[in-house]
Structures are given as structure tokens and as C-alpha cells.
Amino acid sequence: MSFELPKLPYAYTALEPYIDARTMEIHHTKHHGGYTANLNNALQGSAWEGRSIEEILQSAGAISPAVRNNGGGFYNHNLYWEILTPGGSREPEGVLLDAIRESFGSVAALKEAFTKAAVTRFGSGWAWLLLHDNKLVVSSTPNQDNPLMDVAEVKGKPILGIDVWEHAYYLNYQNRRPDYVEAFWNLINWDEVAGKLKG
Ligand code: MN
């Protein structure tokens, strides 16, 4: 049994003009594809072969750097493609909206906190909205780490994440990471985020 690169539920062109097709294609086929292949290679013959990706990541402190980095890369990109959707301008609603208001006061305040985490993450990494002790919080992680990992500064269940590696935006935005983070807010699949909060 090995992990498989998922097919995207939309075309590479679908997120334009916010994320360009060339970035999407390279990101999915080369970067995510690379993490997936390297994860499978690193797991082969190891004690972690056959475990779920969540189980593996929860033991990040005990696994090899190759499994930690590529396992994180595999999981993080799965989540990233899932929480993006073309043409979405919908807002969070229902239980998710209630939880956001309880933790942050408003969607605008969440956006501000999330944007700050994404823009100020030094170098490569991710910013997250996660469920931590039954409360929504924002955090960021370096490299391909994520909040599921036992080594994460803020641990919990990620329900929204943004990739701030330069490969996620450089072709279109070059050094302008804040513009990419701003554009990301036009693409969020809030139904999917709500599903992750429930599930
Ligand atoms: Mn990436």
C-alpha cells in the first residue's frame, strides 16, 4: 500500500486570476507529486509502512526527517487543494461562523490574524486555522510541518491552511507574498472548511 497523489477537483486554470495555471500545474505535479513519491520511498520497509498519514505525522518527533518532511508535504497539499475552490466568494456560515466569532470576534478579525501569520512566517512554511482545545486558533509552522505533529508549537486539527513556500506564488507574485495571501481569501471553500471542523 502506498500513498497516491490525488487528482484535483478542478482544472489548473480554475483558480485564475488569483493563482495562475502554470503555478498550479507545477505545484501539483512536481512539488506535491515529489513529496508523495519521496514519502513512499522513505516508508518502504520501515516500521511506519501501512500506517495512516495522521498516525505517522503524530509521531513526527520519532520518524526520519525524510518521512516528516515528505509526509507533511503530502498531507498539507491534500488539505490545500481541498480548501480551495474556483470563483468562491461565499462567507463562512452556521456552526463554523459561530466558532469563528467565538474565537476571533468576527471573520474580519480571523482574516487579519491568519494574514499576519502567513505574511510573517519567515522563509518556507504554512499558516493554519486549527481546532486547539475545542477552540479555533491561528498558527504557523516551518517547512512542511503542521499542527498534527507532536513537534508543533501549537497542536490541533488543521481546518484551513495556506502554503507560503515561494513555489506557491512566485511565478505570479514574485516577492509579494501579501498579495498572494490577500488573493487566497477569494478562493476559500468554506463548505469544506466547515466539514473539517465537524468531521
Ligand atoms: Mn507547496
Side-chain angles (χ1 to χ4, degrees):
M1 198 191 82
S2 58
F3 293 107
E4 278 180 32
L5 179 68
K7 285 202 164 61
L8 296 195
Y10 37 75
Y12 292 130
T13 53
L15 304 182
E16 289 188 338
Y18 305 111
I19 303 178
D20 62 284
R22 182 91 176 117
T23 295
M24 287 295 292
E25 183 173 3
I26 296 170
H27 201 174
H28 179 241
T29 60
K30 306 296 183 192
H31 293 275
H32 197 189
Y35 297 125
T36 307
N38 291 336
L39 173 63
N40 288 327
N41 288 338
L43 284 172
Q44 212 163 31
S46 84
W48 300 95
E49 203 174 3
R51 306 279 193 97
S52 74
I53 190 64
E54 288 84 2
E55 272 184 291
I56 291 170
L57 297 180
Q58 280 157 14
S59 303
I63 57 185
S64 70
V67 175
R68 173 174 168 175
N69 292 333
N70 292 294
F74 172 73
Y75 177 94
N76 294 347
H77 290 84
N78 284 353
L79 183 141
Y80 182 71
W81 309 130
E82 284 167 9
I83 57 86
L84 295 175
T85 190
S89 61
R90 289 161 302 153
E91 293 285 315
E93 53 188 43
V95 174
L96 174 62
L97 180 59
D98 293 344
I100 289 170
R101 284 182 173 152
E102 200 182 311
S103 292
F104 301 95
S106 65
V107 175
L110 160 65
K111 182 178 175 182
E112 194 182 336
F114 186 90
T115 298
K116 187 177 176 204
V119 169
T120 59
R121 164 49 56 187
F122 186 76
S124 297
W126 291 73
W128 305 99
L129 174 64
L130 65 140
L131 194 58
H132 166 84
D133 286 344
N134 271 326
K135 197 177 182 309
L136 289 178
V137 298
V138 161
S139 77
S140 75
T141 52
N143 305 315
Q144 294 295 353
D145 284 359
N146 69 44
L148 290 178
M149 294 183 173
D150 55 356
V151 294
E153 207 174 311
V154 184
K155 287 179 267 299
K157 183 189 175 187
I159 65 169
L160 175 69
I162 183 169
D163 186 346
V164 295
W165 284 56
E166 285 184 344
H167 68 229
Y169 62 86
Y170 207 85
L171 291 181
N172 199 28
Y173 295 97
Q174 294 84 49
N175 61 315
R176 303 188 308 280
R177 187 193 288 184
D179 292 354
Y180 157 68
V181 176
E182 179 67 30
F184 173 85
W185 281 84
N186 296 296
L187 299 172
I188 298 173
N189 185 344
W190 288 109
D191 292 336
E192 188 65 36
V193 179
K196 291 186 186 302
L197 178 65
K198 264 189 243 161

